[in-house]
Amino acid sequence: MTISVSVQENLEKLKQQLNYHNYRYYVLDDPTIPDAEYDRLFKALQELEAAHPELISSDSPSQRIGEAPLSAFAQVTHEVAMLSLDNAFEQQQLLDFNRRIRDRLKLADADIEYACDPKLDGIAVSLLYRDGILERGATRGDGTTGEDITQNVRTIASIPLRLIGTDFPELLEVRGEIYMPKQSFNELNERAREAGQKTFVNPRNAAAGSLRQLDARITASRKLQMCAYSVGRVEGRELPDRHSEVLDTLHRLGFLISPEVQVAANIDDCIDYCRRLGEKRDSLAYDIDGVVIKVNSRRLQAELGFVSRAPRWAIAYKFPAQEELTTLLDVEFQVGRTGAVTPVARLQPVFVGGVTVSNATLHNRDEIERLGVMIGDTVIIRRAGDVIPQVVSVVKGRRPPSAQAVVFPSSCPVCGSPVENTPGEAVYRCTGGLVCEAQRKEAIKHFSSRKAMDIDGLGDKLVEQLVDQGLIHSVADLFSLQTSQLAAMERMGQKSAENLIAALEASKQTTLARFLFALGIREVGEATARALANHFGNLEAIIVADEEALQQVADVGPVVAHYVAEFFHQPHSLELIRSLQAAGIHWPDVEVAAAELPLAGKTYVVTGAFGELKRSDATRLLQELGAKVAGSVSTKTDCVVVGGGAETNSKFLKAQELGIATMTEVELIEQLRQLGALDE
Ligand code: IVH
């Protein structure tokens, strides 16, 4: 059968369009067509290919996922070795690096121009393009020999199967890092934990594990990214002399380049860059472990050459490690507000992620089993950003003979009530309820916290003392405390006691949403409390609502509805509410209050990683101004606030597709200031 020219042309055109739109979406983060249009083109391609299977080529967007798993990875030799980097940990080492370069180039006092690049914490890869088509993807391996992971890299959407345009070298080897964004990593581990499966230690291990899969369909299911940072073999055409311009070229050809890359006029600017990026580290959407500083002129790079495995023209400035080894001294069991028993690791203090850590969470009973951890073990602690430190693995080879098993308690360590779990749930809970002193203390702390009743000056330690001394049993007792009783407490004086009494008085005027949140009903967070308040308008309506009525509230499903109804059915809940009201706690009716707020009637979506504000704070402040904050973008959305990492942000893309206004974190802060929700 002869294939008509027009079929071939049609197919070619579809492939090109799809490759281009894929690039606009995943690399430039600036799609020009809606998803539906992309899907339509994709379907047209699949249909054409189904009718003419002999025309299917490897650069077709339909061919990202191969079918048959491999039995082993083939070996690949890197013709241009993939080098490693020397490390620097201090400013002085960067100055020494600069001096060595000047000496070697005989450029006494001249400024050397550098390119500063985030050091991505992932897996180094080499991608070989022949005539613009991806031919092979390989791991770095030992720098000379790596593994052929072509099938796997093809599944990564930000890797072009075919270069954009026609202006590229015949042979081009692009190098870069494959990594897993923090959010994808957290979601992957969360799912694994729920399914009782093994979790990954960090995003780098998750990326490595996802990439080294003989079945590429598994790789495809993990959200990996690739960022290009240099070239290896280049034949048939010269690239620009400046490394920074090579990156620009790679970007035009279809690769993701870190938006953080900057040219520095001299080493002082590099030092400045390292400081700034260090401050930004936690707010980035992916893990970095430092900065790679490279002489920007490739001519000078060639002149400088390399020693053993590392180039003389580049250095890695390393940030403080986010993982360290230490010893597990003991495991204690904390009882939370809802009775959840959480094992907490007591550690030999260790400096990690910029602070000294002596406690880390062990999550739950399953986690202890999964880790196989014993007291006395050497463990790896990870502390990334403001996330609570975690025990991520155990160095079993270093287990001392004296190591002891961790015994999960079957009765509450505080009140002695049985500890039980709901089948299928990983959490074990103390069944003591408010009989349990730990639960009572936590309930009082929660009640007085900033987002709840906001009782200024009633700290955790003071709550514990007050309960320990029997002065309060429940939150209602707070309002009958006397100045003299408070003044007698540790680290309290007459003045602070008077201030606390005044704060208790001030807290009585509140909002229904805050009050509902403060009650500490299971699964009722701030957002749900607000939704309930806005829906029902007053407390009495919520008290009498049945589960069905509760489920009418946006974001309230059967589980939450059950907990809410159960709470208000209990006589002691109602007693508590009545005594709090008798103590003078009151709030205005919701409708009246909400309609007057500046953002009343507006729906916002908040997404991405935030830097200065926390995302939770942004959400709360918007809600306090009357806005509804929704979880997904729809035609009803008025504005999407996008933090960092917009390049992969589906909500941002959706907003663009629907023509909905977007706003950066900086713009939001400005708006919040203008509306008086944030201080100048
Ligand atoms: S340049 C000769 N740039 O760091 C220079 N490397 O120790 C070669 N890495 O395994 C590397 N981010 O995978 C360069 N922006 C970046 C990088 C980077 C991460 C990794 C790379 C290599 C290791 C070098």
Side-chain angles (χ1 to χ4, degrees), residues 83-85 117-120 124 140 177 229 292 294 311 313:
L83 301 175
S84 60
L85 291 168
D117 236 17
K119 188 169 187 302
L120 299 159
R140 174 172 179 270
E177 201 84 352
Y229 55 62
V292 184
K294 303 169 190 171
W313 45 265

Side-chain angles (χ1 to χ4, degrees), residues 95 113 188 279-280 287 404 466 555 575 630 632 663:
L95 295 171
E113 186 182 86
L188 182 65
E279 285 168 4
K280 226 176 151 181
D287 262 4
Q404 284 170 19
L466 291 167
D555 295 337
E575 264 167 44
S632 60
M663 192 185 258

